[in-house]
């Protein structure tokens, strides 16, 4: 069995590209459709009902592209609205489950940190998943709302004084808790991994949710006979809801190389929840 239809990936903006990058690494021959809701980013500062509504519209758009699987490459949707994926007519994957599993596997002192958007921290999704596996773990969470606009603005240089300063302020408390693992629970955050590592030190393992999720997606696709039979490099199509002109440049920075594939504007309000 095989399936040449694309994988659908979505995020509130550019952060999901850190997941896309990992997907391309482990499944270079898969076709992928990416939707970044750049007109409505950030999701993480919004209320639950709005996040659920946006997630349903994003999923509805991807279904219109005849995808074989949908990945919520957004920590906020994965934490607050994972149930929106459960009823879809295609398999759905979110980023919390596999990142929590990885953190529980690698911690030695059972002190785990989670940095994420305010909505994700409020949901306690990572914490609950970790504690299902390691009931005696101590989980310390910190919301870092300014990271998303800093990343979306491209202020990501390792020595950027504003971003470094902001990160120092956010991470101070977690450092004092002597955590040995830190989940970067928002998909925008791996873009500033160097800054976070410089502050936390080499003794703290940083978990990139995109890496864990891409490996899990590959395993799922292989186990369910959904792999693309075509072994050539896959095609990548990007859709955004605003600021299409600046997308390619910023996306190339986040992806680590020039993005290949078309970029198109989509009117996301046109897409209604199908469930
Ligand atoms: N990248 C997203 C996340 O993983 C969302 C950030 C936001 O829109 O606030 O949570």
């Amino acid at each position: 069995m095989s399936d040449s239809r694309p994988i659908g990936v979505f995020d509130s903006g550019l952060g999901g590209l850190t997941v896309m990058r990992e997907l391309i690494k482990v499944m270079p021959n898969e076709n992928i459709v990416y939707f970044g809701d750049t007109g409505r980013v950030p999701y993480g500062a919004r209320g639950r009902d709005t996040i659920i509504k946006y997630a349903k519209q994003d999923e509805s758009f991807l279904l219109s592209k005849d995808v074989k699987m949908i990945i919520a490459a957004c920590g906020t949707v994965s934490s607050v609205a994972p149930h929106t994926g459960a009823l879809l007519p295609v398999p759905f994957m979110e980023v919390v489950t596999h990142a929590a599993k990885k953190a529980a596997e690698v911690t030695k002192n059972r002190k785990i940190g989670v940095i994420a958007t305010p909505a994700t921290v409020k949901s306690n999704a990572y914490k609950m998943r970790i504690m299902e596996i390691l009931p005696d773990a101590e989980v310390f969470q910190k919301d870092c709302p300014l990271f998303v606009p800093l990343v979306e603005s491209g202020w990501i240089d390792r020595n950027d004084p504003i971003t470094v300063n902001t990160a120092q302020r956010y991470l101070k408390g977690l450092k004092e808790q002597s955590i040995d693992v830190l989940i970067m629970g928002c998909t925008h955050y791996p873009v500033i991994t160097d800054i976070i590592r410089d502050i936390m030190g080499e003794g703290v393992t940083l978990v990139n949710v995109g890496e864990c999720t891409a490996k899990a997606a590959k395993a799922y696709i292989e186990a369910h006979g959904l792999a693309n039979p075509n072994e050539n490099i896959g095609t990548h199509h990007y859709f955004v809801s605003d600021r299409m002109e600046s997308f390619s440049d910023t996306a190339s920075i986040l992806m680590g190389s020039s993005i290949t594939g078309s970029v198109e504007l989509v009117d996301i309000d046109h897409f209604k929840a199908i469930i």
Side-chain angles (χ1 to χ4, degrees), residues 11-13 15-16 41-45 73-77 95 117 120 148 185-188:
D11 178 47
S12 59
V41 67
Y43 283 7
C74 173
T76 306
V77 168
V95 297
T117 64
T120 298
V148 171
C186 166
T187 53
H188 280 73

Side-chain angles (χ1 to χ4, degrees), residues 73-202:
C74 173
T76 306
V77 168
S78 301
S79 302
V80 176
H83 60 283
T84 62
L87 297 172
L88 294 174
V90 295
F92 173 80
M93 199 165 266
E94 41 76 27
V95 297
V96 171
T97 304
H98 304 284
K101 197 164 157 231
K102 166 93 183 202
E105 268 163 26
V106 299
T107 183
K108 299 218 166 39
N109 69 6
R110 302 192 169 210
K111 291 181 178 209
I112 298 170
V114 178
I115 49 173
T117 64
T120 298
V121 167
K122 193 165 164 227
S123 77
N124 282 317
Y126 284 101
K127 185 171 178 174
M128 288 190 295
R129 284 288 153 76
I130 293 166
M131 300 204 48
E132 277 164 21
I133 309 169
L134 284 183
D136 62 341
E138 285 182 84
V139 181
F140 303 94
Q141 307 185 87
K142 176 73 187 134
D143 57 322
C144 307
L146 293 176
F147 281 170
V148 171
L150 288 170
V151 167
E152 293 274 332
S153 310
W155 293 18
I156 56 177
D157 187 88
R158 190 176 197 154
N159 298 310
D160 186 290
I162 308 279
T163 309
V164 170
N165 236 300
T166 306
Q168 277 165 342
R169 201 153 157 179
Y170 279 145
L171 299 174
K172 189 170 179 283
L174 289 175
K175 227 174 131 58
E176 285 165 7
Q177 298 296 343
S178 310
I179 56 167
D180 69 351
V181 179
L182 177 61
I183 299 179
M184 296 183 284
C186 166
T187 53
H188 280 73
Y189 300 178
V191 177
I192 52 167
T193 296
D194 287 342
I195 294 177
I196 296 171
R197 187 179 294 113
D198 286 347
I199 295 168
M200 296 309 293
E202 290 295 333

